[in-house]
Amino acid sequence: MKITFLGTGTSQGIPIIGSKHPVCLSEDPRDKRLRVSVLIEWDNYCYVVDCGPDFRQQMLSNAVEKIDGILFTHEHSDHTAGLDDIRPFFFRQGDIDLYAHQRVFKELKKRFDYIFTTENKYPGAPSVDAHVITNTPFNIGNIEVVPINGQHFKLQVFGFRFQDFAYLTDMKTVEEEEIEKLKGVKVLVINALRKEPHISHFNLDEALDFINKIKPERAYLTHISHLLGFHETVQNELPNNVFLAYDNLQITIQ
Ligand SMILES: [Zn+2]
Ligand SMILES: [Zn+2]
């Protein structure tokens, strides 16, 4: 399985428009973070988790030619706003498979009604095949995906386990029984916003505690704010098996 970090930034991305913060002005490419998303490939399958406002740019910079589907963690715009840009995939492949909680589809239908409508559809509008998911395993391609239920302040969010790989973002609280589902995972991705606490996101200490409970071989931090600091500085402060993810980083899981 090959994982490509398409974006590793929090909702505004880094740099923030107009910001003079030193991290926003950094010339280290690892300090430039698009909105959070990940590409997962195995055999001939290719799936994306979330589809934020940088989706088009992310597909272009990684030369993605086809996608088999998009899984949504939740409905926030930094995870969904790029949905219109599935059009090139739709024109070549037909309806695109989407996987999300029923509530997320309700939100997507409000924002992208022209995608979901079946009557008098504009000819250039893309179509999708909406798969409503609950907190039970489901199949994509030839593998099973295990949803991991969490809370993002008061909003329910899904993380996903794909065999030995798990991807969780925008988590603030995760129940013990959900953490159990992550045991034995080799590579874990988890959100770490900044060092200061935040009402709806793990800060760095909370993310490290979470990693400690699961004890994966390797963990990668994502959904990063400029306030966390420079990539290089923060990376040097982390335990040996914990890494700050950065845009376009690729990892493989045997
Ligand atoms: Zn987010
Ligand atoms: Zn969010």
Side-chain angles (χ1 to χ4, degrees):
M1 189 171 270
K2 184 171 90 174
I3 310 299
T4 306
F5 288 89
L6 299 172
T8 57
T10 188
S11 56
Q12 296 183 86
I14 308 177
I16 290 178
I17 296 171
S19 169
K20 298 282 187 283
H21 188 283
V23 173
C24 292
L25 299 176
S26 167
E27 286 176 14
D28 184 341
R30 296 169 303 174
D31 285 322
K32 305 207 181 297
R33 303 182 186 276
L34 298 178
R35 265 59 70 88
V36 75
S37 179
V38 74
L39 186 73
I40 304 172
E41 296 168 274
W42 73 95
D43 297 341
N44 281 321
Y45 297 106
C46 179
Y47 285 83
V48 184
V49 181
D50 290 331
C51 180
D54 300 315
F55 178 74
R56 175 176 176 275
Q57 190 180 340
Q58 290 163 331
M59 294 299 102
L60 287 173
S61 44
N62 289 282
V64 181
E65 291 175 10
K66 70 130 195 178
I67 54 171
D68 294 299
I70 303 172
L71 291 74
F72 289 96
T73 57
H74 65 302
E75 62 269 45
H76 283 160
S77 283
D78 55 323
H79 301 255
T80 57
L83 188 58
D84 187 69
D85 286 316
I86 60 171
R87 293 172 67 223
F89 296 113
F90 166 72
F91 293 145
R92 286 195 298 266
Q93 303 172 211
D95 294 8
I96 303 296
D97 285 320
L98 306 184
Y99 300 82
H101 190 287
Q102 194 167 26
R103 182 200 73 242
V104 174
F105 278 123
K106 210 171 137 200
E107 285 297 317
L108 291 177
K109 282 174 189 168
K110 272 193 236 164
R111 293 182 220 172
F112 299 95
D113 66 318
Y114 63 96
I115 292 180
F116 291 88
T117 192
T118 48
E119 286 171 28
N120 299 321
K121 193 154 179 153
Y122 181 73
S127 293
V128 296
D129 200 350
H131 304 269
V132 173
I133 56 171
T134 58
N135 194 11
T136 48
F138 60 97
N139 292 306
I140 59 171
N142 55 356
I143 66 165
E144 185 184 73
V145 181
V146 180
I148 314 296
N149 198 55
Q151 290 290 127
H152 180 29
F153 185 45
K154 290 182 180 168
L155 185 70
Q156 180 275 342
V157 285
F158 276 138
F160 302 105
R161 178 174 181 163
F162 309 84
Q163 299 180 325
D164 290 328
F165 172 70
Y167 181 83
L168 286 78
T169 188
D170 294 59
M171 294 288 176
K172 177 63 180 179
T173 44
V174 187
E175 300 290 332
E176 286 303 322
E177 65 197 73
E178 298 298 311
I179 292 175
E180 278 303 309
K181 297 181 187 173
L182 293 165
K183 294 281 162 73
V185 85
K186 286 186 187 165
V187 176
L188 171 71
V189 178
I190 184 70
N191 56 292
L193 188 73
R194 61 187 191 191
K195 290 179 180 170
E196 293 296 309
H198 188 274
I199 191 166
S200 59
H201 298 265
F202 279 162
N203 67 356
L204 180 58
D205 284 342
E206 289 166 324
L208 293 174
D209 285 347
F210 188 75
I211 292 165
N212 248 332
K213 284 186 190 169
I214 293 152
K215 301 196 186 341
E217 287 174 14
R218 286 176 286 160
Y220 292 83
L221 305 176
T222 194
H223 210 289
I224 293 164
S225 159
H226 64 295
L227 299 173
L228 184 64
F230 292 104
H231 180 96
E232 188 157 8
T233 315
V234 179
Q235 180 61 60
N236 286 333
E237 297 166 355
L238 296 176
N240 283 338
N241 65 335
V242 181
F243 306 90
L244 276 193
Y246 54 87
D247 290 17
N248 304 319
L249 169 68
Q250 290 191 332
I251 56 174
T252 48
I253 300 151
Q254 303 299 338

